[in-house]
């Protein structure tokens, strides 16, 4: 890192000196000189690793033998990896939809209320916590303790986890939320929804406030209130923001790793693609299969990025 910073300083210094001394340098040369360091870092920090990973996906576990598409066939045909793909699809469908729904409803409910700032601050607070920190918090929420007898032989009902303690208070049995598949995936997804709802609320709240007042007043004169106002005015007006929020959260969800790794380690049928290519590459020593899973993840992200950029451009053209 120190070497990279020094190289950047030296290169930029040379560029600035050259620009200052050579008054008649062509504009294209100045542009190329300023873009060169960025392009260099992108090439060696992003492009080369990406191409190298795709290349490695066609070789065996130690890169000594070309195996063609065998790693991809394994990723899509073996049961354990089909579960990984199923879990990833479940995350990508539920997290964006639920986060956007909660964020939108919350933004509408607290809009222009007396405690709007305080309410929005509470909703946004999970975004300030790292994914690992949030995972540790929710592990305590889901913590399970067996009902062991005390000194008198009576079962103790004290639980460390908040959710299990609530179940015990209402006469229920404590549950192992993170061990029972496939429902444990939904409890992991709840953590990501809790974090991303604040992001969705912030973007959608800004979009709601940007709706012109004359449109709102005209709708009210036409008799629209409550749910009809939300359906026919609010939602169509903030559609570009909804698309951006949905696709952005979907991209973040495709790359989810911290929550799964921290809370279950990918065990109990909870692994997703990002966690699995880490496991295969650095735990199981299967570099070829890990590279194939990383490539699959990259391919899945591309349509979301393209669609997101396209929608942003359309929104700019409308403005």
């Amino acid at each position: 890192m120190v070497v990279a910073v020094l190289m950047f300083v030296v290169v930029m210094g040379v560029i600035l000196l050259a620009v200052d001394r050579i008054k008649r340098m062509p504009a294209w040369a100045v542009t190329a000189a300023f873009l060169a360091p960025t392009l260099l870092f992108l090439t060696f920090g992003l492009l080369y690793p990406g191409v190298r990973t795709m290349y490695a996906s066609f070789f065996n576990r130690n890169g000594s033998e070309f195996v063609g598409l065998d790693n991809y066939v394994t990723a899509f045909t073996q049961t354990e990896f089909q579960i990984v793909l199923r879990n990833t699809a479940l995350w990508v469908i539920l997290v964006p939809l639920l986060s956007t729904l909660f964020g939108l409803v919350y933004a509408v409910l607290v809009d222009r209320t007396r405690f709007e700032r305080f309410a929005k601050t509470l909703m946004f607070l999970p975004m300030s916590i790292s994914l690992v920190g949030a995972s540790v918090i929710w592990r305590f929420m889901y913590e399970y303790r067996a009902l062991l007898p005390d000194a008198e032989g009576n079962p103790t009902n004290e639980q460390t986890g908040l959710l299990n303690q609530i179940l015990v208070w209402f006469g229920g049995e404590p549950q192992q939320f993170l061990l029972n598949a496939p429902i444990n995936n939904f409890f992991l997804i709840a953590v990501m929804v809790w974090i991303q709802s604040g992001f969705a609320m912030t973007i959608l709240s800004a979009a709601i406030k940007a709706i012109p007042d004359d449109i709102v007043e005209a709708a009210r004169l036409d008799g629209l209130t409550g749910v009809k106002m939300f359906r026919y005015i609010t939602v169509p007006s903030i559609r570009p923001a909804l698309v951006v929020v949905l696709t952005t959260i979907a991209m973040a969800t495709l790359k989810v790793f911290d929550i799964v790794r921290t809370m279950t380690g990918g065990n109990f049928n909870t692994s997703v693609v990002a966690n699995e290519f880490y496991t295969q590459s650095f735990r199981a020593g299967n570099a070829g299969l890990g590279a194939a899973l990383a490539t699959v993840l990259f391919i899945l992200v591309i349509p979301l990025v393209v669609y997101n950029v396209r929608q942003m451009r359309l929104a700019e053209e409308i403005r």
Side-chain angles (χ1 to χ4, degrees):
M1 181 62 70
V2 174
V3 174
V5 172
L6 291 177
M7 289 178 59
F8 179 78
V9 172
V10 170
V11 172
M12 293 305 298
V14 172
I15 292 173
L16 292 174
L17 287 174
V19 172
D20 183 60
R21 294 188 177 184
I22 305 175
K23 302 297 183 180
R24 296 183 178 179
M25 180 177 288
W28 65 267
V30 176
T31 303
F34 277 100
L35 288 179
T38 302
L39 294 176
L40 187 65
F41 285 127
L42 284 176
T43 300
F44 287 97
L46 184 63
L47 183 60
Y48 173 74
V51 174
R52 180 64 184 172
T53 300
M54 294 180 186
Y55 177 77
S57 69
F58 298 106
F59 288 81
N60 63 350
R61 60 187 307 114
N62 57 13
S64 61
E65 181 182 353
F66 180 80
V67 295
L69 297 176
D70 287 357
N71 290 320
Y72 293 95
V73 172
T74 300
F76 284 98
T77 57
Q78 288 193 5
T79 304
E80 58 179 310
F81 297 113
Q82 289 179 344
I83 294 175
V84 170
L85 295 174
R86 181 206 66 188
N87 293 341
T88 304
L90 197 65
W91 278 75
V92 174
I93 293 172
L94 291 182
V95 173
L97 291 177
L98 293 177
S99 299
T100 304
L101 177 62
F102 292 151
L104 176 59
V105 172
Y106 195 87
V108 172
L109 291 178
V110 303
D111 186 44
R112 295 184 176 87
T113 59
R114 184 177 180 181
F115 302 102
E116 179 181 359
R117 292 184 180 180
F118 178 72
K120 289 182 177 180
T121 301
L122 290 179
M123 186 69 167
F124 190 77
L125 274 178
M127 284 292 297
S128 63
I129 306 174
S130 68
L131 292 178
V132 174
S135 302
V136 173
I137 292 172
W138 280 86
R139 278 194 68 176
F140 282 110
M141 294 280 286
Y142 295 143
E143 188 69 29
Y144 167 84
R145 177 181 292 180
L147 299 181
L148 300 176
D150 56 14
E152 299 178 357
N154 299 318
T156 57
N157 292 330
E158 295 183 359
Q159 292 289 321
T160 304
L162 176 61
L163 295 183
N164 273 322
Q165 186 61 61
I166 293 174
L167 287 176
V168 171
W169 282 339
F170 284 94
E173 293 289 332
Q175 302 294 320
Q176 297 188 9
F177 294 104
L178 299 180
L179 270 62
N180 299 322
I183 196 172
N184 50 4
N185 287 286
F186 295 99
F187 291 110
L188 296 181
I189 288 172
V191 181
M192 192 68 168
V193 172
W194 179 67
I195 295 172
Q196 293 294 336
S197 294
F199 165 75
M201 179 271 300
T202 303
I203 302 301
L204 298 177
S205 178
I208 291 172
K209 290 184 178 298
I211 299 175
D213 292 335
D214 54 349
I215 294 179
V216 177
E217 292 298 329
R220 287 176 179 170
L221 291 174
D222 289 338
L224 292 181
T225 57
V227 177
K228 290 185 178 180
M229 175 71 76
F230 175 78
R231 177 181 177 183
Y232 294 109
I233 301 299
T234 303
V235 173
S237 299
I238 64 172
R239 181 183 175 278
L242 282 171
V243 172
V244 171
V245 169
L246 282 168
T247 53
T248 302
I249 296 178
M251 285 186 288
T253 304
L254 268 174
K255 299 178 290 182
V256 67
F257 169 79
D258 312 64
I259 295 175
V260 175
R261 197 72 199 171
T262 303
M263 299 186 72
T264 63
N267 300 314
F268 317 115
N269 291 337
T270 60
S271 188
V272 291
V273 172
N275 178 75
E276 194 62 30
F277 84 70
Y278 168 83
T279 301
Q280 293 298 325
S281 298
F282 302 106
R283 297 292 183 180
N286 194 339
L289 182 56
L293 290 169
T295 303
V296 170
L297 184 63
F298 174 71
I299 294 173
L300 292 175
V301 170
I302 289 177
L304 292 173
V305 174
V306 173
Y307 183 75
N308 201 353
V309 172
R310 181 182 178 187
Q311 291 299 316
M312 293 178 68
R313 288 181 177 177
L314 289 175
E316 290 295 329
E317 292 177 359
I318 293 175
R319 292 179 184 177

